[in-house]
Amino acid sequence: MIFPNHAPLMTIALTVITALVFTPSVQASAPEGAPGVNLSITLKGLKTTKGKVLVRLYNSEKGFPDDPEKAIMSLTVPIKETRTAKAQFLGLVPGSYAVAAVHDENESGEMDTNWIGIPREGLGVSRDAKSSFGPPKFKDSVLEVKKSEQIEVNFLYL
């Protein structure tokens, strides 16, 4: 491999890219008549105000972040002048969730990468989970959402 030290980062990036680009939007809301809980997310560390942020919500370790069929909700949100963004998933059934987000600077609807697969756009996951080999694990990113909550996700640019 040309850049051996970038192998773990490329694996993470490609996994997140696949999950975010090919994830269908499916609602996982509380049963009708039940209020559910809300998850409000402040997305920080965006390097520019260009583009939008793609945000995906997962409720399964089997799907996070590399199985787009397992993402239960998705949003595209604007970036503020403060280089932050806000996303809100409403009416969720209380449970375990993980968030993955991409700064889609050119609004292509997908994560752009260089010729060897290293992302050219920022990415972030809940709990700012890190990984040295492969993608972040659901168990490191998971949030136990029992009541409405506010969290922060910080972006990483490789």
Side-chain angles (χ1 to χ4, degrees):
M1 176 176 266
I2 296 173
F3 299 102
N5 292 336
H6 288 89
L9 296 176
M10 286 192 320
T11 302
I12 293 168
L14 291 175
T15 302
V16 171
I17 292 165
T18 302
L20 293 175
V21 171
F22 299 107
T23 300
S25 295
V26 179
Q27 297 290 325
S29 31
E32 193 170 323
V37 297
N38 302 328
L39 180 60
S40 300
I41 306 157
T42 300
L43 303 148
K44 293 183 162 187
L46 294 151
K47 75 175 186 181
T48 71
T49 58
K50 293 181 184 176
K52 306 263 185 201
V53 178
L54 309 174
V55 188
R56 304 290 189 254
L57 185 68
Y58 297 85
N59 69 350
S60 172
E61 67 181 25
K62 293 178 183 175
F64 181 80
D66 59 357
D67 185 351
E69 297 296 318
K70 301 296 182 186
I72 58 167
M73 297 177 95
S74 62
L75 298 170
T76 300
V77 296
I79 300 168
K80 299 177 181 183
E81 289 300 315
T82 56
R83 295 190 323 233
T84 62
K86 299 255 185 197
Q88 198 171 35
F89 293 106
L90 304 174
L92 299 171
V93 173
S96 301
Y97 297 98
V99 175
V102 168
H103 179 186
D104 185 15
E105 293 183 62
N106 62 0
E107 298 188 50
S108 64
E110 62 188 21
M111 168 72 83
D112 294 330
T113 61
N114 67 15
W115 65 277
I116 58 173
I118 296 174
R120 293 181 182 210
E121 298 175 308
L123 54 105
V125 296
S126 47
R127 297 185 60 203
D128 296 327
K130 306 287 186 250
S131 177
S132 18
F133 298 102
K137 304 284 186 226
F138 185 82
K139 69 179 182 168
D140 298 328
S141 305
V142 72
L143 306 162
E144 293 300 325
V145 183
K146 297 178 182 174
K147 58 183 177 141
S148 293
E149 287 193 39
Q150 294 183 1
I151 65 164
E152 291 183 358
V153 170
N154 292 291
F155 275 81
L156 173 66
Y157 291 82
L158 307 176

